[in-house]
Amino acid sequence: MSAKVDISHHVSAKLFWFVTLMILLLPVTTQYRLLLFGNYTSGKVVGEKFVRTLGISALGPDKYPVIQFSTTDGKVIEFYGPENFDYPVGTILRVVYNPVKPTECIVFSFGAIYTGRKAIIPGILFLLWMAFYLAFRNKK
């Protein structure tokens, strides 16, 4: 007397790709103001710094490239680039910064945006979405 219960959900291909795209764009949207309204310039790797972050890095200190760039008014800004990227000293990188607050800046690259700490939650959401879709999809 056991009746089969259908637990599959119908998610159309359009809805699947829409949700997937929205999740994949989350790391970009956290920086959208800077990416749209910031000034783009070239920065130069001038060194590297090893930093231990409050017990988070159990495998030792994280390595950050030290990047230097000049603003349009000639002010020289130095900041840490994306963690654990191995840029040799002298490497020229594309940098985007806030003209009002130049210390608000990032390296403009796919790797820097999608491997930073702001990409952790979207990565987890993506995995959960894929698991949900694959587990409950209509198998017909």
Side-chain angles (χ1 to χ4, degrees), residues 42-47 66-68 86-94:
S42 295
K44 184 176 184 179
V45 177
V46 295
V66 179
I67 301 166
Q68 195 176 69
D86 196 18
Y87 295 121
V89 173
T91 302
I92 304 297
L93 302 170
R94 192 92 167 127

Side-chain angles (χ1 to χ4, degrees), residues 2-133:
S2 170
K4 267 190 162 181
V5 178
D6 184 22
I7 60 168
S8 65
H9 296 284
H10 179 68
V11 176
S12 69
K14 287 181 184 179
L15 179 62
F16 170 76
W17 287 111
F18 175 75
V19 172
T20 301
L21 181 66
M22 292 297 105
I23 292 171
L24 292 176
L25 286 177
L26 278 174
V28 175
T29 59
T30 60
Q31 301 286 341
Y32 81 94
R33 284 191 182 116
L34 186 61
L35 294 171
L36 288 177
F37 305 114
N39 288 353
Y40 290 80
T41 188
S42 295
K44 184 176 184 179
V45 177
V46 295
E48 61 187 23
K49 181 85 172 175
F50 290 89
V51 178
R52 183 171 295 279
T53 53
L54 302 175
I56 295 173
S57 54
L59 301 175
D62 291 323
K63 182 174 83 169
Y64 292 89
V66 179
I67 301 166
Q68 195 176 69
F69 69 93
S70 296
T71 62
T72 53
D73 60 353
K75 188 175 179 183
V76 176
I77 304 292
E78 202 171 89
F79 73 100
Y80 291 156
E83 67 182 288
N84 297 321
F85 271 62
D86 196 18
Y87 295 121
V89 173
T91 302
I92 304 297
L93 302 170
R94 192 92 167 127
V95 174
V96 59
Y97 68 94
N98 183 342
V100 176
K101 186 180 175 187
T103 54
E104 184 183 324
C105 51
I106 60 169
V107 173
F108 182 67
S109 74
F110 181 82
I113 292 172
Y114 277 94
T115 61
R117 294 184 194 264
K118 291 183 178 180
I120 292 172
I121 294 196
I124 291 169
L125 283 174
F126 179 71
L127 290 174
L128 289 173
W129 168 244
M130 293 303 292
F132 171 79
Y133 177 75

